[in-house]
């Protein structure tokens, strides 16, 4: 329900001022915010002013309902556009209906009104002079300006606060990024240092091996001369002969020379094995024959001791694919140790097949090795203190290195007083490979390789270059790739670099080049035999499967 509280006929500027006054007072009575009071007053004054300036008049009604302040302007012509537009910006709702414009401003809720008192206040305002209204307008302007100033100051304060925050964030950021940069620099330096250290270690280890190899060679020649000369000197048929005392001395020289020569030979062996210069020649080795030769070789060492030597090939396969020289070296070392450190009882060599391994055991009933020293005896030059019986301390480390070169492993168990057992575990049997891919641009060599691989693989596929190989690897489950190093298009190195980690790879090359890091092994085309191929593939697979376990 609308209640009209005042009505004013506006014909001139005086009326405009009065209208403004009325609007403002009503807004104040309704407890509108000061800003809104000014808005209402300005809306009333603008709409009536714009009518008056074009010579029109209007009747203004000031009223309320439960929720709104309502102003109604009834013009005696078309409502002035300019005034309506201004009012639209200042009021909450403005509706034009013919010559009537209805303007609404929402009232703040919960303000109790004493209607007669409001009417009284409006009535008191009505006969205001133009000067009063001008003063009031000025005050409004000043308060609006004040308001603006306050807002500006608030904005300025906010802005400077923002700037400060930004500066803080920037400082924090630069501090953090500096710290990060410093950390990064530290990490990079650390890596460089590590690289340098490992490079120095590698060089040191290489030069140690070279030194040993050279020194050994240099020493061997004069040593052989000394030993030869002592033999001549001790020859009873020699001119003049030597008396018993001199003969004894010459014999001492000969024995010392022989000990030295053994040391030098051992050193040379170890140096060769360490530097990878040892030439491995895999072939089918007849184990029965090899064991027979070994037995004959070591038997004299036990002469005069109550020690039985048993070398048994029972349970051993007829042949094993390995390097005969290396295998003989390992077993001779183990047997001679066993005999050396056994005063009575038995030294026994036996062999058996266990899964994909040939297990050769050398056991003795000798003095044994204290528990804490089992790993030390594999260190170069280490000898169990207090029980020296000649030797150089190089036998076991050499044997263990050779075992690893053959793809096997050496393990020792021992108990002081009851004896020592050393177990050599060597790969045995034909490897079972699923799918092998051969990548080589030389079609005829591909044929040769595929022929050699046929007994080893369930399935063989071939590629003419690295690119084709990659496509085939993506389309098939490939277990092993044999790739030529130099191929047109994608070469072996590039192919290997792009292979999934699950695929093992062997480089087969005619060129004299080192193996790329990703290759599990490198085979030379001119040395390729079915035995070498099988030996290498078996080694690679054993390594992969060992790592997977
Ligand atoms: P060495 O030339 O002294 O025999 P090895 O490297 O072959 O050197 O062995 C290292 C040490 O391990 C030996 O000096 C010895 O103390 C101990 N050793 C090796 N084999 C046996 C064994 N069968 N019984 C007892 N001790 C052993």
């Amino acid at each position: 329900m609308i209640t009209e509280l005042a009505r004013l006929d506006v014909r001139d500027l005086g009326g405009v001022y009065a209208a403004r006054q009325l609007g403002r007072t009503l807004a104040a009575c309704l407890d509108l915010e000061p800003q809104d009071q000014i808005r209402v007053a300005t809306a009333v004054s603008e709409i009536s002013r714009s009518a008056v300036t074009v010579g029109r008049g209007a009747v203004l009604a000031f009223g309320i309902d439960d929720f709104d302040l309502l102003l109604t302007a009834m013009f005696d012509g078309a409502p002035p556009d300019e005034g309506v537009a201004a009012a639209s910006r200042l009021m909450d709702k403005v509706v034009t209906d013919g010559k009537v414009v209805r303007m609404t401003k929402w009232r703040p809720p919960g303000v109790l009104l004493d209607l007669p008192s409001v009417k009284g206040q409006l009535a008191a305002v009505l006969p205001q002079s133009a000067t009063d209204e001008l003063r009031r307008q000025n005050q409004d302007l000043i308060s609006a300006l004040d308001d603006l100033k306050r807002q500006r100051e608030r904005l300025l304060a906010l802005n400077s606060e923002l700037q400060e925050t930004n500066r803080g964030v920037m400082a924090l950021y630069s501090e953090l990024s500096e710290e990060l940069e410093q950390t990064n620099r530290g990490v990079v330096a650390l890596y460089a240092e590590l690289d340098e250290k490992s490079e120095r270690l590698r060089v040191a280890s290489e030069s140690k091996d070279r030194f040993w190899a050279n020194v050994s060679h240099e020493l061997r020649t004069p040593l052989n001369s000394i030993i030869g000369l002592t033999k001549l000197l001790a020859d009873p048929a020699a001119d003049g002969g030597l008396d018993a005392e001199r003969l004894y001395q010459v014999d001492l020289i000969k024995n010392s020379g022989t000990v030295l020569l053994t040391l030098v030979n051992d050193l040379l062996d170890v140096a060769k094995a360490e530097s990878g210069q040892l030439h491995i020649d895999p072939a089918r080795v007849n184990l029965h024959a090899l064991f027979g030769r070994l037995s004959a070789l070591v038997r004299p060492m036990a002469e005069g001791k109550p020690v039985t030597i048993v070398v048994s090939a029972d349970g051993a396969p007829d042949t094993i694919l390995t390097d005969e020289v290396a295998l003989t070296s390992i077993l001779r070392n183990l047997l001679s140790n066993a005999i050396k450190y056994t005063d009575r009882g038995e030294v026994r060599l036996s062999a058996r097949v266990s899964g994909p391994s040939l297990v050769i055991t050398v056991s003795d009933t000798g003095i044994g090795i204290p528990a804490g020293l089992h790993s030390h005896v594999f260190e170069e030059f280490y000898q169990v203190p207090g029980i020296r019986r000649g030797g150089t301390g190089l036998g076991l480390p050499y044997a263990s290195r050779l075992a690893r070169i053959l793809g096997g492993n050496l393990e020792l168990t021992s108990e002081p007083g009851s004896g020592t057992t050393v177990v050599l575990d060597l790969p045995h049997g034909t490897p079972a490979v699923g799918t092998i891919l051969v990548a080589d641009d030389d079609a005829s060599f591909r044929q040769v390789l595929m022929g050699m691989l046929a007994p080893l693989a369930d399935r063989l596929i071939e590629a003419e270059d690295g690119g084709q190989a990659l496509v085939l690897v993506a389309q098939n489950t490939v277990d092993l790739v044999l790739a030529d190093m130099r191929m047109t298009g994608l070469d072996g190195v590039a192919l290997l670099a792009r292979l999934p980690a699950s695929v093992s790879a062997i480089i087969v090359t005619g060129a004299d080049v080192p193996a790329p890091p990703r290759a599990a092994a490198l085979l030379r085309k001119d040395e390729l035999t079915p035995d070498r191929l099988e030996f290498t593939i078996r080694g690679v697979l054993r390594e992969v499967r060992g790592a997977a376990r």
Side-chain angles (χ1 to χ4, degrees), residues 333 337-338 340-341 364 367-369 377 382-384 387 390-397 420:
N333 255 299
N337 272 351
K340 205 176 351 173
Y341 298 103
D364 64 56
I367 59 172
I369 301 168
V377 294
Y382 187 86
Q383 296 185 306
V384 173
I387 51 149
T392 57
L394 288 170
L396 278 181
T420 302

Side-chain angles (χ1 to χ4, degrees), residues 270-294:
V270 173
K272 265 193 192 162
E274 290 237 13
S275 61
Q277 282 171 13
L278 211 72
H279 188 77
I280 292 296
D281 193 11
R284 309 269 157 195
V285 176
N286 181 327
L287 278 179
H288 294 259
L290 184 129
F291 285 5
R293 283 198 300 277
L294 266 176

Side-chain angles (χ1 to χ4, degrees), residues 185-258:
R185 269 202 302 272
V187 171
V188 170
L190 213 65
Y191 269 117
E193 205 173 303
L194 267 177
D195 279 351
E196 197 189 317
K197 286 233 164 89
S198 55
E199 175 61 15
R200 275 217 298 266
L201 267 177
R202 196 187 56 77
V203 170
S205 154
E206 261 179 26
S207 55
K208 180 200 76 177
D209 290 343
R210 233 190 349 264
F211 171 77
W212 278 16
N214 286 340
V215 164
S216 309
H217 268 301
E218 297 300 321
L219 287 176
R220 227 160 30 158
T221 322
L223 268 175
N224 276 318
S225 310
I226 292 171
I227 293 166
L229 286 171
T230 53
K231 278 186 189 145
L232 284 180
L233 277 174
D235 186 358
D239 241 10
L242 290 179
D243 59 35
E245 177 66 15
R246 290 281 149 83
L247 257 181
Y248 175 69
Q249 289 167 348
V250 168
D251 204 41
L252 280 181
I253 296 175
K254 194 185 88 190
N255 285 342
S256 297
T258 313

